[in-house]
Amino acid sequence: MKNKVGIGIIGAGGICRSRHLPGLAKVDEAEVVAICNRSQESGEKIAREFGLEADIMTDPQALIARSDVDAVMVGTWPYMHCPFALEALEAGKHIFVQARMSMNLAEAKAMYSAAMDSDRVAQICPAPHCMKGDRLMRKLVADGYLGEVRHIYVRSLAGSLADPSLPLHWRQIDRYSGLNSLHVGMLMEWVHRWFGYAETVAAQASTFIGQRPNGTGGVGDVERPDSVHILAEMQNGASAVFLLSGVAQMATGDCIEAYGSEGTLIYELGSQRVLGGRRGDDKVVELAVPADEVREWEVERDFVDAILGRTSEPESTFYEGVKYMEFTEAVFRSAERGATVHLPLVE
């Protein structure tokens, strides 16, 4: 076997610069051998910034076909996740795609099916919001800290979209983002991990700022909602409420709260603190995350370890991506129809 896993990156944008390239630099067994961006200039700039000797390309298919590329990391917007994932798996490459797995459930299922027909590693980038205390939350819930889970509340409120003069973002354009809205899918990944899956979804979506500057002197339509409210029934019997908005000015901190027959757990997304209390306590208090249970950002290491066979599979699998894309699509269908949607979805 080669000394290093050859990595080819398609779309070395913000997330690659802030997380993946610094992360890969810490993995001795990985080498970025090729970068494919829209322009030669932007790729060369990335290579200089990180001191890489990678080949700079503008043809993603040519990158995928390279014999020295063992694994493809896709940093593009969701609209290209499915095509590149299918091409990479067909070519026998390991594949890593960003959160917001795909445009819709049909694409997610196609990606999952291709991964199941392959012996390659297929991983989705996990959302970072709840990483530090993830293992502690799973352990507490599994050990019965909450007792019977009755209520789950997810709050993700921000004012980042409140200024109507801000330009149209790719996440607000259907052809780039698909059905993904705000942080619905990424937060649902953590809810699934801790509390299981939903069985019904009733959603309301609103767009308060319908047009924005499009960057070319005109205006463009905002095609994804800037506010989503969801009521869901979970398979474990709990009721779940999701409040998400990008136009909530001066909102307080985001969190995931769970209330059960025996206790309460609150995860603060900003500070990544875990708060808890049990029947008879006066109030919730911070629960220290044991040092050996702190989950650090080692996503790139996890991907390479899975490729090298050191772990059976990464935690953020294509199957989990299908489940949160199913929830995302159910939110869209419910809001569109004004009706409760039952899961699993039937196409």
Side-chain angles (χ1 to χ4, degrees):
M1 186 176 69
K2 296 190 306 182
N3 292 330
K4 292 182 181 290
V5 175
I7 305 290
I9 298 176
I10 302 176
I15 184 66
C16 288
R17 293 178 63 195
S18 64
R19 290 192 181 273
H20 299 324
L21 287 171
L24 286 169
K26 300 175 183 178
V27 182
D28 293 337
E29 301 90 340
E31 179 182 6
V32 179
V33 298
I35 295 173
C36 180
N37 268 12
R38 290 182 178 179
S39 71
Q40 188 79 12
E41 293 75 18
S42 66
E44 290 173 350
K45 181 178 179 181
I46 293 293
R48 287 194 302 270
E49 181 178 349
F50 289 92
L52 300 173
E53 298 181 359
D55 291 338
I56 307 304
M57 311 176 68
T58 57
D59 182 347
Q61 282 72 36
L63 180 145
I64 291 171
R66 289 175 61 124
S67 61
D68 61 346
V69 169
D70 304 302
V72 176
M73 297 184 72
V74 179
T76 66
W77 303 337
Y79 77 118
M80 293 306 298
H81 289 183
C82 181
F84 289 151
L86 297 183
E87 291 172 20
L89 290 168
E90 178 66 23
K93 313 296 185 180
H94 306 282
I95 183 66
F96 178 102
V97 299
Q98 293 307 309
R100 298 179 176 89
M101 177 183 183
S102 59
M103 296 278 278
N104 51 47
L105 178 59
E107 285 192 351
K109 285 185 172 181
M111 294 166 68
Y112 173 66
S113 178
M116 290 299 96
D117 290 339
S118 167
D119 63 352
R120 304 290 87 180
V121 173
Q123 180 175 346
I124 301 173
C125 182
H129 306 83
C130 306
M131 188 165 282
K132 178 180 178 180
D134 172 37
R135 295 190 179 104
L136 175 61
M137 285 291 293
R138 278 188 278 174
K139 183 177 187 299
L140 290 171
V141 175
D143 290 348
Y145 188 95
L146 292 168
E148 176 187 303
V149 184
R150 293 174 174 168
H151 301 288
I152 300 166
Y153 295 96
V154 179
R155 186 172 66 245
S156 177
L157 305 176
S160 55
L161 301 176
D163 182 355
S165 69
L166 291 175
L168 191 64
H169 194 278
W170 66 262
R171 292 192 181 98
Q172 299 172 309
I173 302 174
D174 282 343
R175 65 182 182 277
Y176 296 137
S177 190
L179 301 183
N180 297 289
S181 299
L182 300 171
H183 289 159
V184 171
M186 292 190 292
L187 292 178
M188 200 60 194
E189 178 184 351
W190 297 110
V191 173
H192 284 167
R193 190 185 299 272
W194 300 338
F195 306 112
Y197 303 122
E199 59 181 18
T200 70
V201 172
Q204 177 186 15
S206 302
T207 302
F208 292 98
I209 301 174
Q211 290 188 321
R212 290 184 180 275
N214 62 9
T216 61
V219 296
D221 292 334
V222 175
E223 297 172 331
R224 304 309 310 135
D226 50 30
S227 176
V228 179
H229 293 176
I230 307 162
L231 176 63
E233 293 297 325
M234 306 297 290
Q235 290 179 357
N236 65 5
S239 295
V241 177
F242 300 76
L243 305 175
L244 301 99
S245 176
V247 293
Q249 300 192 60
M250 294 171 284
T252 55
D254 297 350
C255 65
I256 298 175
E257 304 173 354
Y259 300 91
S261 60
E262 300 300 323
T264 294
L265 286 171
I266 300 173
Y267 199 105
E268 296 179 341
L269 272 63
S271 65
Q272 297 217 33
R273 292 197 309 161
V274 179
L275 307 178
R278 303 209 74 205
R279 182 193 293 272
D281 294 340
D282 294 331
K283 61 181 180 180
V284 296
V285 298
E286 182 174 358
L287 305 179
V289 181
D292 60 348
E293 291 186 6
V294 172
R295 186 177 173 195
E296 304 287 355
W297 181 271
E298 294 183 331
V299 172
E300 300 77 20
R301 161 62 67 188
D302 294 343
F303 184 47
V304 174
D305 280 350
I307 291 171
L308 296 175
R310 295 172 177 169
T311 56
S312 58
E313 64 177 8
E315 287 190 330
S316 295
T317 64
F318 273 21
Y319 176 78
E320 292 303 326
V322 167
K323 296 304 292 184
Y324 77 62
M325 286 307 304
E326 180 180 54
F327 185 84
T328 297
E329 183 142 333
V331 168
F332 174 82
R333 292 188 187 182
S334 174
E336 181 181 52
R337 300 170 185 174
T340 297
V341 171
H342 294 261
L343 300 173
L345 293 180
V346 177
E347 296 181 5

